[in-house]
Amino acid sequence: MTTLLPYGRQHIDESDIAAVCEVLRSDFLTCGPKVDEFESRFAKRVGARHAVAVNSATAALHLAMRVTELGPGDRVVTSPNTFVASANAAAFVGATPDFSDIDPISYNLDPSVLSRNWQSDTKAVVAVDYAGQPCDMPAIARIAHERGALVIEDACHGVGGGFMHEGRSWKLGGHPWADLTVFSFHPVKTMTTGEGGMLVTNNAEWAARARRLRSHGIERDPARFTASDPCFLTSEKGPWYYEMSELGYNYRITDIQCALGSSQLNRLDTVVNRRREIVSQYNAAFCDISWLTIPAVRKQADSEQISWHLYTIQIDFEAIDKTRTQVMLELRENGVGSQVLYIPVHLQPFYRRAYDYGVGKCPVVEEFYRRALSLPLYPSLNEMEIGRVINAVWRLAGR
Ligand SMILES: *Cc1c(COP(=O)(O)O)cnc(C)c1O
């Protein structure tokens, strides 16, 4: 029996290993030059002024909530078709996470639903680019900004991707419709630092504050000191001096991780192109199957710009007279892993209990969830393995 193809997998080469080893032999394992280098290279790559690297995208989302001072009494609306962290970050700061339904084509927030169900206490929208396909960011930003709310883009799936708007191409992290953008470098994502995340913004104050909150809220820049002298027993503010100006965290990322991130960044285009090629091969193989829906793009113009993280199909399980569990087991018997991404977040026990959400709140995503299945997608899949996935899917209906 051949080994199981997982639904996602990191891509590590010898240059990554060399980059990490170099740090291990250097003076700094953390808070050193590799962090700055990764941040500035990443900011340049996506076209943003500031990038703050942290130890996860969950931390980056939390910092996004903190620097924009979201909190109790504020509603933060996100997509139910996401990993739980997109919504949890709002709960971390005491804001109310809420969910708005997806559109059935892109599986992303539907701007018309967002606008129709808008509530006056909504202060931010967390727009998630599911599978890597960008949300309709200009439409979402228009709705949010007109009502005085912020737009935080959860681009954890979409690093290296972008979209067309009015004849111009824009990168995720570098377009004007998101106030802050978050990326993840978990191994299953398109590029990795082991664990890690990035917060990207053009706002210098937010970036400086995120850097401070990343390390306990400690300020070392004399220009930003605020304490009056008697507070610290002496008027001397010598080289030892620092201030903790607000309550922060240890969300620091290491130089080891950032060296890996920088090395991965060198190959980002190659990796994104390879993922796109695999998606085209799957699409070509599956497009005529009546009981299966391949991923659709909202605007055809975007298809060349999408950085695909997931390949999610929808299966009409009734039509093939099998349950999803049976389908997953059959695929597995043929060496093909699969995963359900995602269980709608508003249906998680925590969200039902804490906010009284339940079935029927977002009918489109609930229908999507009933049929969704993600197949293996990662750059090191070879032609034989791609063939194995395709054959295993064809065989599901007894072909
Ligand atoms: C992976 C992921 C996160 C969380 O990323 P971590 O780096 O694991 O904290 C958040 N949102 C989405 C959409 C993700 O896929």
Side-chain angles (χ1 to χ4, degrees):
M1 182 63 224
T2 36
T3 52
L4 189 71
L5 307 173
Y7 83 89
R9 182 175 161 69
Q10 70 270 20
H11 186 260
I12 299 291
D13 74 3
E14 288 305 318
S15 69
D16 295 332
I17 294 168
V20 167
C21 289
E22 187 191 314
V23 174
L24 292 174
R25 294 191 184 94
S26 78
D27 293 334
F28 292 95
L29 296 187
T30 193
C31 303
K34 291 295 173 190
V35 179
D36 297 339
E37 183 191 312
F38 182 42
E39 288 180 340
S40 58
R41 289 191 62 209
F42 192 90
K44 204 167 156 204
R45 175 68 173 68
V46 302
R49 283 201 204 109
H50 310 282
V52 181
V54 288
N55 55 15
S56 72
T58 305
L61 283 162
H62 187 191
L63 292 184
M65 304 284 152
R66 284 291 314 269
V67 301
T68 54
E69 301 190 336
L70 291 160
D74 299 333
R75 186 176 304 273
V76 176
V77 176
T78 190
S79 166
N81 188 28
T82 187
F83 183 57
V84 293
S86 316
N88 291 353
F92 291 169
V93 295
T96 304
D98 204 347
F99 301 91
S100 185
D101 213 347
I102 59 168
D103 83 66
I105 303 296
S106 68
Y107 316 140
N108 281 331
L109 277 179
D110 182 334
S112 63
V113 176
L114 180 69
S115 149
R116 195 169 345 114
N117 297 332
W118 193 270
Q119 294 185 53
S120 57
D121 58 350
T122 302
K123 294 294 156 50
V125 175
V126 176
V128 182
D129 304 313
Y130 178 77
Q133 175 164 189
C135 295
D136 186 347
M137 292 308 299
I140 289 170
R142 196 177 328 112
I143 294 161
H145 289 158
E146 265 176 10
R147 293 159 175 82
L150 290 160
V151 177
I152 299 167
E153 189 169 359
D154 180 339
C156 285
H157 293 186
V159 69
F163 57 90
M164 298 297 294
H165 185 70
E166 292 173 352
R168 213 184 132 176
S169 128
W170 298 93
K171 288 198 179 75
L172 300 188
H175 64 75
W177 299 283
D179 300 298
L180 303 113
T181 305
V182 166
F183 297 92
S184 171
F185 308 128
H186 181 276
V188 88
K189 307 293 160 74
T190 298
M191 58 175 276
T192 189
T193 59
E195 293 275 4
M198 193 72 88
L199 178 64
V200 158
T201 180
N202 283 338
N203 183 311
E205 276 306 310
W206 288 344
R209 194 162 175 200
R211 284 214 163 77
R212 190 166 67 218
L213 289 169
R214 165 175 74 180
S215 196
H216 307 282
I218 286 173
E219 184 59 69
R220 290 178 190 278
D221 178 1
R224 291 171 181 269
F225 289 161
T226 56
S228 55
D229 296 338
C231 287
F232 280 102
L233 311 171
T234 163
S235 59
E236 226 189 320
K237 287 180 178 173
W240 69 87
Y241 185 80
Y242 62 86
E243 290 180 357
M244 186 189 125
S245 47
E246 61 182 329
L247 188 62
Y249 318 91
N250 180 352
Y251 282 168
R252 294 188 303 263
I253 187 166
T254 65
D255 278 53
I256 308 167
Q257 290 166 295
C258 289
L260 178 55
S262 242
S263 179
Q264 294 254 309
L265 206 50
N266 295 335
R267 289 202 306 288
L268 183 58
D269 286 331
T270 318
V271 159
V272 168
N273 287 334
R274 177 66 189 143
R275 285 173 169 272
R276 212 176 277 139
E277 265 170 36
I278 300 170
V279 167
S280 317
Q281 275 180 267
Y282 282 161
N283 283 345
F286 300 146
C287 63
D288 290 331
I289 301 180
S290 61
W291 45 268
L292 180 160
T293 308
I294 60 170
V297 291
R298 197 173 44 82
K299 283 188 306 176
Q300 205 47 44
D302 286 346
S303 60
E304 289 304 300
Q305 319 240 348
I306 297 175
S307 169
W308 290 103
H309 163 54
L310 299 175
Y311 187 80
T312 303
I313 56 174
Q314 288 190 84
I315 296 179
D316 183 346
F317 293 103
E318 293 80 37
I320 55 171
D321 199 24
K322 282 173 188 163
T323 66
R324 179 157 50 192
T325 307
Q326 283 172 327
V327 163
M328 290 178 82
L329 287 173
E330 266 182 50
L331 290 173
R332 177 176 272 270
E333 279 162 16
N334 289 304
V336 175
S338 60
Q339 187 54 278
V340 178
L341 300 159
Y342 290 95
I343 300 167
V345 181
H346 67 286
L347 300 181
Q348 291 292 353
F350 169 77
Y351 283 98
R352 292 182 190 227
R353 193 173 63 239
Y355 305 97
D356 212 18
Y357 301 145
V359 175
K361 179 174 171 62
C362 299
V364 180
V365 80
E366 291 164 19
E367 184 54 28
F368 164 79
Y369 164 59
R370 283 189 192 99
R371 297 167 167 245
L373 198 64
S374 302
L375 298 174
L377 179 63
Y378 49 92
S380 59
L381 276 176
N382 63 34
E383 297 310 310
M384 248 174 61
E385 292 168 332
I386 295 167
R388 195 205 298 177
V389 175
I390 291 171
N391 285 329
V393 170
W394 276 348
R395 244 176 263 151
L396 288 172
R399 238 174 98 168

Short mmCIF file of all heavy atoms in Angstrom, two decimals, residues 7 14 28 69 128 224 251 344:
data_model
loop_
_atom_site.label_atom_id
_atom_site.label_comp_id
_atom_site.label_asym_id
_atom_site.label_seq_id
_atom_site.Cartn_x
_atom_site.Cartn_y
_atom_site.Cartn_z
N TYR A 7 -4.04 16.23 2.80
CA TYR A 7 -4.71 17.29 2.03
C TYR A 7 -3.81 18.50 1.83
O TYR A 7 -3.98 19.27 0.91
CB TYR A 7 -6.06 17.69 2.65
CG TYR A 7 -5.98 18.68 3.79
CD1 TYR A 7 -6.01 20.06 3.55
CD2 TYR A 7 -5.85 18.25 5.10
CE1 TYR A 7 -5.91 20.97 4.58
CE2 TYR A 7 -5.75 19.16 6.14
CZ TYR A 7 -5.78 20.52 5.87
OH TYR A 7 -5.68 21.42 6.90
N GLU A 14 16.57 22.17 0.31
CA GLU A 14 17.89 22.30 0.95
C GLU A 14 18.23 23.75 1.29
O GLU A 14 18.92 24.02 2.26
CB GLU A 14 18.97 21.70 0.03
CG GLU A 14 18.94 20.17 -0.03
CD GLU A 14 19.03 19.51 1.34
OE1 GLU A 14 19.83 19.96 2.18
OE2 GLU A 14 18.28 18.54 1.58
N PHE A 28 22.12 35.30 17.24
CA PHE A 28 20.73 35.56 17.62
C PHE A 28 19.81 34.41 17.23
O PHE A 28 19.71 34.08 16.05
CB PHE A 28 20.21 36.81 16.92
CG PHE A 28 20.86 38.07 17.39
CD1 PHE A 28 21.94 38.61 16.71
CD2 PHE A 28 20.37 38.73 18.51
CE1 PHE A 28 22.53 39.79 17.14
CE2 PHE A 28 20.96 39.90 18.95
CZ PHE A 28 22.05 40.44 18.27
N GLU A 69 -8.34 48.84 18.81
CA GLU A 69 -9.11 49.08 20.04
C GLU A 69 -10.54 48.58 19.95
O GLU A 69 -11.48 49.21 20.43
CB GLU A 69 -9.03 50.55 20.44
CG GLU A 69 -7.57 50.94 20.65
CD GLU A 69 -7.37 52.31 21.27
OE1 GLU A 69 -8.28 53.15 21.14
OE2 GLU A 69 -6.31 52.50 21.90
N VAL A 128 -12.44 36.75 5.08
CA VAL A 128 -11.58 35.57 4.93
C VAL A 128 -11.53 35.14 3.46
O VAL A 128 -12.57 34.92 2.85
CB VAL A 128 -12.11 34.39 5.78
CG1 VAL A 128 -11.19 33.18 5.69
CG2 VAL A 128 -12.32 34.82 7.23
N ARG A 224 8.98 57.66 23.08
CA ARG A 224 7.62 57.24 23.41
C ARG A 224 7.43 56.99 24.91
O ARG A 224 6.37 56.52 25.33
CB ARG A 224 7.26 55.97 22.65
CG ARG A 224 7.10 56.17 21.15
CD ARG A 224 6.96 54.82 20.48
NE ARG A 224 6.82 54.93 19.04
CZ ARG A 224 5.64 55.03 18.40
NH1 ARG A 224 4.53 55.03 19.08
NH2 ARG A 224 5.61 55.12 17.08
N TYR A 251 4.24 37.26 21.85
CA TYR A 251 3.84 36.78 20.53
C TYR A 251 5.04 36.83 19.59
O TYR A 251 4.89 36.89 18.38
CB TYR A 251 2.70 37.63 19.97
CG TYR A 251 1.34 37.32 20.55
CD1 TYR A 251 0.25 38.17 20.32
CD2 TYR A 251 1.11 36.17 21.31
CE1 TYR A 251 -1.01 37.89 20.82
CE2 TYR A 251 -0.15 35.88 21.81
CZ TYR A 251 -1.21 36.75 21.57
OH TYR A 251 -2.46 36.46 22.05
N PRO A 344 -18.96 24.96 9.77
CA PRO A 344 -19.29 26.38 9.98
C PRO A 344 -19.06 26.81 11.44
O PRO A 344 -19.54 26.15 12.36
CB PRO A 344 -20.77 26.45 9.59
CG PRO A 344 -20.96 25.33 8.62
CD PRO A 344 -20.04 24.23 9.11
#
